[in-house]
Amino acid sequence: MASSSSLSMCASNGAVGVCNVSKSQKVIMSGCPDLFRKRVVNCVPNCSSADFTSLRGSFGAKPLKWESNGEVPMRLGVPCHVVGVRNTNLFSVGQKFQLDDVLEAQQFDRETLSAIFEVAQEMEKVEKNSPGSQILKGYLMATLFYEPSTRTRLSFESAMKRLGGEVLTTENAREFSSAAKGETLEDTIRTVEGYADIVVMRHFESGAARRAATTAGIPIINAGDGPGQHPTQALLDVYTIQREVGKLDGISVALVGDLAYGRTVRSLAYLLAKYNDVKIYFVAPDVVRMKDDIKEYLTSKNIQWEESADLMEVASKCDVVYQTRIQRERFGERTDLYEEARGKYIVNKNVLNVMQKHAVVMHPLPRLDEITVDVDEDPRAAYFRQAKNGLYIRMALLKLLLLGW
Amino acid sequence: MASSSSLSMCASNGAVGVCNVSKSQKVIMSGCPDLFRKRVVNCVPNCSSADFTSLRGSFGAKPLKWESNGEVPMRLGVPCHVVGVRNTNLFSVGQKFQLDDVLEAQQFDRETLSAIFEVAQEMEKVEKNSPGSQILKGYLMATLFYEPSTRTRLSFESAMKRLGGEVLTTENAREFSSAAKGETLEDTIRTVEGYADIVVMRHFESGAARRAATTAGIPIINAGDGPGQHPTQALLDVYTIQREVGKLDGISVALVGDLAYGRTVRSLAYLLAKYNDVKIYFVAPDVVRMKDDIKEYLTSKNIQWEESADLMEVASKCDVVYQTRIQRERFGERTDLYEEARGKYIVNKNVLNVMQKHAVVMHPLPRLDEITVDVDEDPRAAYFRQAKNGLYIRMALLKLLLLGW
Amino acid sequence: MASSSSLSMCASNGAVGVCNVSKSQKVIMSGCPDLFRKRVVNCVPNCSSADFTSLRGSFGAKPLKWESNGEVPMRLGVPCHVVGVRNTNLFSVGQKFQLDDVLEAQQFDRETLSAIFEVAQEMEKVEKNSPGSQILKGYLMATLFYEPSTRTRLSFESAMKRLGGEVLTTENAREFSSAAKGETLEDTIRTVEGYADIVVMRHFESGAARRAATTAGIPIINAGDGPGQHPTQALLDVYTIQREVGKLDGISVALVGDLAYGRTVRSLAYLLAKYNDVKIYFVAPDVVRMKDDIKEYLTSKNIQWEESADLMEVASKCDVVYQTRIQRERFGERTDLYEEARGKYIVNKNVLNVMQKHAVVMHPLPRLDEITVDVDEDPRAAYFRQAKNGLYIRMALLKLLLLGW
């Protein structure tokens, strides 16, 4: 990996290569048009190509290539050179792994999850006006929301401010004047990255977060892109299970409600597949049953799963009842199907009565009547604690992306 | 009152009771699901029931009951206990009275008003970068506005930031995705209280603020709920009278304009009734005359009032001319009635000419043409100072709710 | 100029005069209704009239007059007196000139521009958590946007926060409840100035910023008012030319695209006219050619200009190719004319190939396809650096308006 000590090892060459600079590092250039990372593409580095092997970190963004045809771009007569790479991780403790962007639940392996959860648990203990509450002082987060999601936005903004950072808010970026005028997402990102240190983005198109991350020289967090990913929700769900039940290996989880369209249950299934001896129950009305891709994936990972129509029986056996809302918007004109589906599996006092003492009820919220309000008072009702855990997970991710480990 | 010294006095029991923990205190629990105050409901405290007599403070919210049926909820094998109550008032000076929420003008007695005004006047002297400007550092206020009111929102956000606090903004919570999906206000509040330390709420339904306060474990400030209450406006009005005229006992006030629908004049009348020798003049077009409930209330409190059609005569006698806007939206199709009403009582130079030197003109703003712009230059035009006083009142309330006296 | 030392020189008189207090100074009054600058109008100062000669600074706002007819306004028996003027510039270095508001590009002379650019260049070096990053701590900026412009708003808010200041945001002030109810801009400003230290305003009406500045006792920055001015864009354009090309005297600039309606190219032409030996090329489709007023203005200032239909030839000669978007909204129903105009002059690799090595391509953004994306990788593509320069220019202006030189 290129580091500040690579400064002296650098030697001019004209080879084609890619640069292994992570977003938490800063390229030091001389005579170059600016310090934007993308500019590296146009520079002839005087480092050996060994120092420039992969522009992006471990999370799959396509590396950007630079090319030199022997012609050195110059500014005001000074030839442009990369003279080194400076690590900007001011608070890093070790260098466990590279976290450049948060784009999808699948990007995390078991060790990474465990490490993130460790940081999240530290975040639970951050007290007002303690040194820990100021670690992101001077950092600016832009919340670029192309569709409204006040809950998610407030959670991220609270996380940033709880760590002393500042926020630039765009609650309705779809009407972002320039987007309305036809500007590409890429151009918007290249502008916004000039104003902020990290972007939290919600978009209506699947894959938008990845496109943004490929363009940006600063970290991108996907706060939901269309029917695609919402990785921080998946992380907080798994974190909540660990915090509430005390384990992840050997856990048995009932996924209840809208399993066909529910983004959260699909992501959760993917993540649970990383643990051992997991058992998953699918309890869904016929019209919104879990799709085959997830079932096949679980089978391929040796995860036991079964479908059941008996919520009471499943509830009495599992550690977690993960209830979800039946989304009316998925049914279009078929309100009869919607009404049938939504009333089918309700978590109420009767369900609580058969559940084990240590088991918990979770829900990604908002809930309508799929969990009755009298359940709220039971200590096993974990959904508001789950929402709060979103805060800690997001604090942890902001810390990791901006400061490193 | 339970305090940190009550820690040693606590003894396990299973009685039914209610807990006198104020929002500025923190329940210390052991083995309990979390530290949410609401959780107390589900805990068997090991304190005597004398320590748990009223969950909410003096402002009328219904106390929440906890019950124990001898069954102790447990987490990971540790029985849940309340082990004490910690006062989180870091900057309190004495403990004059409990201020948990600001819900309606009527909740304040004369002594409380006087104490709030004292703090507001201190707030006028808070200088940039002085220690006083940082007392709310580390605190987060969420502005949850279900209908837009930029003026009120900016005033609260300025107040919070002038004291070093931070803000999470929701300018249009009605389109809050989860509210649009059918989430209850209670659920929204329980989520938002995980992200913020205090909520300033504006809602389109009368009583919404009280519902929120009953649910929330953090302070709620009502920034207007439908046709109901707007207590901080009422407070700043009374504060302005005191600051401008120098007294409240013996004051004579003319309420002019829309007295039927005007929320501010109704609240102001209620608050003025707490003082001695007050005289109130009602000067209103026929269609928007003051309603009988207020008149009867004033009479019951021995407050003199009279109706008059002669603004000039009233203006020459009173200390305060409180002008209001005739609200077009109240007249529906009857624009003829609206036009007749709005032109009837205008405060202009002629009115100023008959007013006493020490008297002032007030207005809750925005104004249209019910006060002519040439009045602005007169030192007795107090309405912009009145708006500014809203800042000081809100600074005072934020300080009192978050830090105590 | 009135200063704190003028305190002892003051003597009561009743003359008519105007007061030379700048926005960065604070009038110290005794017994007066409040400390609003506008109140000076109603006070009889006990300073000599020599101290009160012009209420506004060098940027053309109409001075406000005060009058005394011998009658001294009084508050609670204390006659109102101006007792001095306190300079609130805590960080000023010298007093090069007065910068009270930023209203239009023309307000700046060459020396002022040069001084602003010097400060902007210092701003490029402000590091996180350095003392320089906290110079606006305690200051509050209100962004009062009557039409959305997320890019501009974020740039200003980032600038404020990069210097430690705080922000009150109004993303859609047109629906500002009070504006919707018919409140005048002047009244809104007088309310908002009670909450903030500086207002950044975008409005749909030409001249709105000047109206606001005439009313306000705090600095106003025009962030675009209708078809009128957008002075910070003009400043960042000129700053970018200086930073990219290294000079302004002797520069040759091609203005390409929509020259008839493009606010930015018109303002840029005005500013370039302040430099020596400037040559401007106009390259525009027939329907959006540069208007005669600008051409005549340039001629009157001895600036060489010519119109050309040959982008390639012009590009090969000039230092800057300033491309702009053809604005569809200007063509109404005539989409045929729009389509013809928008495809006419595209900056692509072919244009780059004829451009000189030191020349740059600029664009105010957003761009559609008038610059092809393959141009982005060339070091001469300066438009994203130009956007970033907007940050530095706005940091510089905020610093100058709030703290002085």
Side-chain angles (χ1 to χ4, degrees):
Chain A
M1 164 169 288
S3 72
S4 48
S5 64
S6 71
L7 209 96
S8 57
M9 304 186 300
C10 289
S12 193
N13 71 53
V16 175
V18 283
C19 173
N20 71 341
V21 178
S22 81
K23 287 186 180 182
S24 57
Q25 293 177 312
K26 196 167 186 176
V27 176
I28 305 165
M29 289 184 287
S30 163
C32 302
D34 62 21
L35 287 172
F36 283 179
R37 187 215 53 188
K38 189 105 182 236
R39 296 297 104 203
V40 176
V41 173
N42 304 299
C43 287
V44 177
N46 57 0
C47 299
S48 76
S49 62
D51 288 313
F52 290 82
T53 51
S54 160
L55 190 58
R56 301 299 300 275
S58 19
F59 297 113
K62 234 172 56 186
L64 294 169
K65 290 203 183 70
W66 55 265
E67 291 185 41
S68 161
N69 51 9
E71 204 181 331
V72 181
M74 308 220 304
R75 273 202 72 51
L76 308 178
V78 185
C80 166
H81 284 291
V82 172
V83 295
V85 171
R86 183 157 55 89
N87 200 318
T88 60
N89 288 2
L90 301 177
F91 299 81
S92 69
V93 272
Q95 190 84 18
K96 291 190 190 172
F97 61 84
Q98 199 58 47
L99 193 59
D100 272 359
D101 301 294
V102 173
L103 301 181
E104 55 183 37
Q106 293 94 308
Q107 81 182 57
F108 302 105
D109 58 24
R110 193 183 156 126
E111 285 65 41
T112 310
L113 290 171
S114 168
I116 292 170
F117 295 167
E118 210 174 288
V119 178
Q121 208 162 339
E122 284 166 28
M123 293 299 160
E124 295 191 21
K125 296 171 211 142
V126 170
E127 294 273 350
K128 271 185 191 49
N129 299 320
S130 67
S133 72
Q134 294 297 312
I135 58 173
L136 296 187
K137 186 159 191 292
Y139 285 88
L140 259 175
M141 175 181 96
T143 46
L144 205 60
F145 273 49
Y146 284 81
E147 57 178 23
S149 177
T150 314
R151 177 189 304 277
T152 303
R153 182 174 63 80
L154 288 188
S155 175
F156 270 109
E157 296 186 359
S158 180
M160 189 67 183
K161 294 189 173 187
R162 289 290 188 209
L163 294 176
E166 277 291 340
V167 174
L168 302 175
T169 298
T170 311
E171 198 164 3
N172 205 338
R174 200 168 190 170
E175 296 170 21
F176 200 119
S177 50
S178 46
K181 287 172 188 160
E183 185 178 58
T184 62
L185 175 62
E186 282 78 3
D187 274 18
T188 301
I189 290 291
R190 293 198 66 179
T191 302
V192 172
E193 75 175 344
Y195 306 149
D197 301 303
I198 189 167
V199 169
V200 175
M201 195 177 93
R202 185 164 193 122
H203 204 277
F204 46 92
E205 274 178 20
S206 193
R210 182 169 295 285
R211 279 170 58 205
T214 304
T215 301
I218 61 173
I220 302 289
I221 299 181
N222 184 2
D225 52 353
Q229 286 279 338
H230 189 8
T232 60
Q233 176 71 44
L235 288 174
L236 75 89
D237 286 346
V238 180
Y239 179 65
T240 299
I241 294 174
Q242 191 190 56
R243 293 288 284 145
E244 294 285 331
V245 185
K247 64 175 182 180
L248 286 161
D249 288 327
I251 201 92
S252 64
V253 177
L255 302 179
V256 188
D258 179 353
L259 305 186
Y261 305 113
R263 185 165 58 179
T264 55
V265 285
R266 293 173 53 87
S267 296
L268 182 55
Y270 271 118
L271 281 187
L272 289 174
K274 297 179 188 296
Y275 296 90
N276 302 323
D277 301 321
V278 170
K279 176 75 185 266
I280 301 184
Y281 301 91
F282 299 127
V283 185
D286 276 351
V287 287
V288 287
R289 286 172 58 190
M290 180 56 84
K291 292 181 176 169
D292 286 342
D293 61 336
I294 298 284
K295 294 177 185 168
E296 284 157 17
Y297 180 80
L298 293 175
T299 301
S300 77
K301 297 287 178 183
N302 288 318
I303 301 295
Q304 285 190 52
W305 59 267
E306 65 176 76
E307 293 191 294
S308 169
D310 188 345
L311 175 58
M312 296 297 278
E313 202 243 331
V314 166
S316 71
K317 290 191 295 192
C318 66
D319 303 303
V320 176
V321 174
Y322 192 106
Q323 174 69 296
T324 60
R325 182 173 64 91
I326 307 288
Q327 300 173 65
R328 177 196 288 267
E329 53 270 34
R330 301 295 184 184
F331 288 83
E333 300 294 304
R334 298 301 308 270
T335 50
D336 54 330
L337 290 180
Y338 166 69
E339 290 302 334
E340 187 193 325
R342 76 182 283 213
K344 188 130 170 96
Y345 297 110
I346 304 283
V347 174
N348 55 23
K349 283 272 187 191
N350 295 334
V351 174
L352 275 182
N353 286 341
V354 302
M355 281 174 63
Q356 300 174 72
K357 280 274 168 260
H358 77 278
V360 290
V361 180
M362 292 173 61
H363 191 296
L365 303 181
R367 65 119 171 234
L368 299 190
D369 47 15
E370 63 272 7
I371 301 178
T372 56
V373 288
D374 55 3
V375 171
D376 297 3
E377 293 188 350
D378 194 283
R380 294 170 294 178
Y383 26 95
F384 293 115
R385 296 193 294 276
Q386 181 184 356
K388 178 98 185 210
N389 285 338
L391 180 69
Y392 303 128
I393 284 290
R394 282 151 191 153
M395 288 168 80
L397 292 173
L398 291 171
K399 191 259 185 191
L400 292 172
L401 289 167
L402 289 168
L403 304 180
W405 296 93
Chain B
M1 165 169 288
S3 71
S4 47
S5 64
S6 72
L7 208 98
S8 57
M9 305 187 300
C10 290
S12 193
N13 71 54
V16 175
V18 283
C19 174
N20 70 341
V21 177
S22 80
K23 288 186 177 181
S24 57
Q25 293 178 312
K26 197 168 185 175
V27 176
I28 305 166
M29 288 184 288
S30 163
C32 301
D34 61 22
L35 288 172
F36 281 0
R37 187 215 53 187
K38 188 101 181 241
R39 296 300 104 203
V40 177
V41 173
N42 305 299
C43 286
V44 177
N46 59 0
C47 298
S48 76
S49 61
D51 289 312
F52 291 82
T53 51
S54 160
L55 190 57
R56 302 300 300 276
S58 18
F59 297 114
K62 234 174 53 188
L64 294 169
K65 291 202 182 70
W66 55 264
E67 293 185 40
S68 161
N69 51 10
E71 204 180 331
V72 180
M74 308 220 306
R75 272 201 72 51
L76 307 178
V78 185
C80 167
H81 284 290
V82 172
V83 295
V85 171
R86 183 158 55 87
N87 200 318
T88 60
N89 289 1
L90 299 179
F91 299 82
S92 68
V93 274
Q95 189 84 17
K96 292 191 189 170
F97 61 85
Q98 199 58 46
L99 192 59
D100 272 0
D101 301 294
V102 173
L103 301 181
E104 55 185 35
Q106 293 94 307
Q107 82 182 58
F108 303 105
D109 58 25
R110 194 184 156 125
E111 285 65 40
T112 311
L113 290 172
S114 167
I116 292 170
F117 295 167
E118 210 175 288
V119 178
Q121 208 162 339
E122 284 166 28
M123 292 300 161
E124 295 191 24
K125 296 171 212 142
V126 170
E127 294 274 349
K128 272 186 189 49
N129 298 320
S130 67
S133 72
Q134 294 299 311
I135 58 173
L136 296 187
K137 188 161 190 291
Y139 286 88
L140 259 176
M141 175 182 96
T143 45
L144 206 58
F145 273 49
Y146 284 81
E147 58 178 22
S149 177
T150 313
R151 178 189 303 276
T152 303
R153 183 175 62 80
L154 289 188
S155 175
F156 271 108
E157 296 186 359
S158 180
M160 189 67 182
K161 295 188 173 189
R162 289 289 188 209
L163 294 176
E166 276 291 340
V167 173
L168 302 174
T169 298
T170 312
E171 198 165 2
N172 205 337
R174 201 169 190 168
E175 296 170 20
F176 200 116
S177 50
S178 45
K181 287 171 187 160
E183 186 178 56
T184 63
L185 175 63
E186 282 79 3
D187 275 17
T188 302
I189 289 291
R190 293 199 66 179
T191 303
V192 172
E193 74 175 345
Y195 306 149
D197 301 303
I198 189 167
V199 169
V200 175
M201 195 177 92
R202 184 165 194 121
H203 203 278
F204 46 92
E205 275 177 21
S206 193
R210 181 169 296 284
R211 282 170 57 205
T214 305
T215 302
I218 60 171
I220 302 289
I221 300 181
N222 183 1
D225 51 352
Q229 284 279 339
H230 190 10
T232 59
Q233 176 72 45
L235 288 175
L236 77 89
D237 286 346
V238 180
Y239 180 65
T240 299
I241 295 175
Q242 191 188 56
R243 292 290 283 146
E244 295 285 332
V245 186
K247 64 174 183 181
L248 286 162
D249 288 328
I251 200 93
S252 64
V253 177
L255 301 179
V256 187
D258 179 352
L259 306 187
Y261 305 113
R263 183 165 60 179
T264 54
V265 285
R266 291 173 54 87
S267 298
L268 182 55
Y270 271 119
L271 282 187
L272 288 175
K274 297 179 189 294
Y275 296 90
N276 302 323
D277 301 319
V278 170
K279 176 75 187 264
I280 301 184
Y281 300 91
F282 299 127
V283 185
D286 277 350
V287 286
V288 287
R289 286 171 59 189
M290 181 55 85
K291 292 181 176 169
D292 286 342
D293 62 336
I294 298 284
K295 293 177 186 168
E296 283 157 16
Y297 181 81
L298 293 175
T299 301
S300 78
K301 297 286 179 185
N302 288 317
I303 300 294
Q304 285 191 53
W305 59 266
E306 65 176 74
E307 293 191 294
S308 168
D310 187 344
L311 175 58
M312 295 297 279
E313 201 243 331
V314 166
S316 71
K317 291 192 294 193
C318 65
D319 302 304
V320 176
V321 174
Y322 193 105
Q323 174 68 296
T324 61
R325 183 173 63 90
I326 306 289
Q327 300 174 67
R328 177 196 288 267
E329 54 271 34
R330 301 296 183 184
F331 288 84
E333 300 294 303
R334 299 304 306 270
T335 49
D336 53 330
L337 290 180
Y338 167 68
E339 289 301 334
E340 187 193 325
R342 77 183 282 214
K344 187 128 172 96
Y345 298 110
I346 304 284
V347 175
N348 55 23
K349 283 274 188 188
N350 294 334
V351 174
L352 276 181
N353 285 341
V354 302
M355 282 175 63
Q356 300 173 72
K357 280 273 167 259
H358 77 278
V360 290
V361 179
M362 292 174 62
H363 191 296
L365 302 182
R367 65 121 170 231
L368 299 190
D369 47 14
E370 62 273 6
I371 300 177
T372 55
V373 288
D374 55 4
V375 171
D376 296 4
E377 292 187 351
D378 194 285
R380 292 169 294 177
Y383 28 94
F384 292 115
R385 296 193 294 275
Q386 181 183 357
K388 179 99 187 209
N389 284 338
L391 181 69
Y392 303 128
I393 283 290
R394 283 152 190 151
M395 288 167 80
L397 292 173
L398 291 171
K399 190 260 185 191
L400 292 172
L401 289 166
L402 289 168
L403 304 179
W405 296 91
Chain C
M1 164 168 289
S3 72
S4 48
S5 65
S6 72
L7 208 97
S8 56
M9 304 187 299
C10 289
S12 193
N13 69 53
V16 175
V18 282
C19 173
N20 69 341
V21 178
S22 81
K23 287 185 178 181
S24 57
Q25 293 177 313
K26 197 169 185 175
V27 176
I28 305 166
M29 289 184 289
S30 164
C32 302
D34 62 23
L35 288 172
F36 283 179
R37 187 215 54 189
K38 190 106 180 237
R39 296 299 103 203
V40 176
V41 173
N42 304 298
C43 287
V44 177
N46 59 0
C47 298
S48 75
S49 61
D51 288 313
F52 290 83
T53 51
S54 159
L55 190 58
R56 302 299 300 275
S58 18
F59 296 114
K62 235 172 56 187
L64 293 169
K65 289 204 182 70
W66 55 265
E67 293 185 41
S68 162
N69 51 9
E71 205 180 330
V72 181
M74 310 218 305
R75 273 202 73 51
L76 307 177
V78 185
C80 166
H81 283 289
V82 172
V83 297
V85 170
R86 184 157 55 87
N87 199 320
T88 60
N89 289 1
L90 300 177
F91 299 81
S92 67
V93 272
Q95 190 83 17
K96 290 191 191 171
F97 60 85
Q98 199 57 47
L99 192 59
D100 273 359
D101 301 294
V102 173
L103 301 181
E104 55 184 35
Q106 293 94 307
Q107 81 182 58
F108 303 105
D109 58 25
R110 192 183 158 128
E111 284 65 40
T112 310
L113 290 171
S114 168
I116 292 170
F117 295 167
E118 210 175 288
V119 178
Q121 208 161 338
E122 283 166 28
M123 293 299 160
E124 294 191 23
K125 296 172 212 142
V126 170
E127 293 275 349
K128 272 186 189 49
N129 299 320
S130 67
S133 73
Q134 294 297 314
I135 56 172
L136 297 187
K137 188 161 191 290
Y139 285 88
L140 259 175
M141 175 182 96
T143 46
L144 205 61
F145 273 49
Y146 283 80
E147 59 179 21
S149 176
T150 313
R151 177 189 303 276
T152 303
R153 182 174 63 81
L154 289 187
S155 175
F156 271 108
E157 297 187 358
S158 180
M160 189 67 182
K161 295 188 172 187
R162 290 289 188 208
L163 294 176
E166 278 290 341
V167 174
L168 302 174
T169 297
T170 311
E171 198 165 1
N172 204 339
R174 201 168 188 168
E175 296 171 20
F176 200 118
S177 50
S178 47
K181 287 171 187 161
E183 186 178 55
T184 62
L185 175 63
E186 281 79 2
D187 275 17
T188 302
I189 289 292
R190 294 198 66 179
T191 303
V192 172
E193 74 175 343
Y195 306 149
D197 301 302
I198 188 167
V199 169
V200 175
M201 194 176 93
R202 185 166 192 122
H203 204 277
F204 46 92
E205 275 177 19
S206 193
R210 181 170 295 285
R211 280 170 57 206
T214 304
T215 301
I218 60 172
I220 303 289
I221 299 181
N222 183 1
D225 51 354
Q229 284 280 340
H230 189 9
T232 60
Q233 176 72 44
L235 287 176
L236 76 88
D237 286 345
V238 179
Y239 180 64
T240 299
I241 295 175
Q242 191 189 58
R243 292 290 284 146
E244 294 286 331
V245 186
K247 65 175 182 180
L248 285 162
D249 289 326
I251 201 92
S252 64
V253 177
L255 302 179
V256 187
D258 179 352
L259 306 187
Y261 306 113
R263 184 164 59 178
T264 55
V265 284
R266 291 173 54 87
S267 296
L268 182 54
Y270 271 119
L271 281 187
L272 288 175
K274 297 180 189 294
Y275 296 91
N276 302 323
D277 302 320
V278 171
K279 175 75 185 265
I280 300 184
Y281 300 91
F282 300 127
V283 185
D286 276 351
V287 286
V288 287
R289 285 171 60 191
M290 179 57 83
K291 291 181 176 170
D292 286 341
D293 62 334
I294 298 283
K295 293 177 188 169
E296 284 157 17
Y297 180 81
L298 293 176
T299 301
S300 77
K301 297 286 178 184
N302 288 316
I303 299 295
Q304 284 191 52
W305 59 267
E306 64 176 75
E307 292 192 293
S308 169
D310 187 344
L311 176 58
M312 295 298 277
E313 202 243 330
V314 166
S316 71
K317 289 191 297 191
C318 64
D319 303 303
V320 176
V321 174
Y322 193 105
Q323 175 67 294
T324 61
R325 183 173 64 93
I326 306 287
Q327 300 173 66
R328 178 197 287 266
E329 53 270 35
R330 301 295 184 184
F331 288 83
E333 300 294 303
R334 299 303 307 271
T335 50
D336 54 331
L337 289 181
Y338 166 69
E339 289 302 334
E340 187 193 325
R342 78 182 281 214
K344 188 129 170 95
Y345 297 110
I346 305 283
V347 174
N348 54 23
K349 283 274 189 189
N350 294 335
V351 174
L352 275 181
N353 285 341
V354 301
M355 281 174 64
Q356 298 174 73
K357 280 273 167 261
H358 77 277
V360 290
V361 179
M362 293 174 61
H363 192 297
L365 302 179
R367 66 118 171 232
L368 300 189
D369 47 14
E370 63 273 5
I371 300 178
T372 56
V373 288
D374 55 3
V375 170
D376 296 4
E377 293 187 351
D378 194 284
R380 292 170 294 178
Y383 27 95
F384 293 115
R385 297 193 294 275
Q386 181 184 356
K388 178 99 186 209
N389 285 338
L391 181 68
Y392 303 128
I393 283 290
R394 282 150 191 152
M395 289 168 80
L397 293 173
L398 291 171
K399 190 259 185 191
L400 292 172
L401 289 167
L402 289 168
L403 304 180
W405 296 91

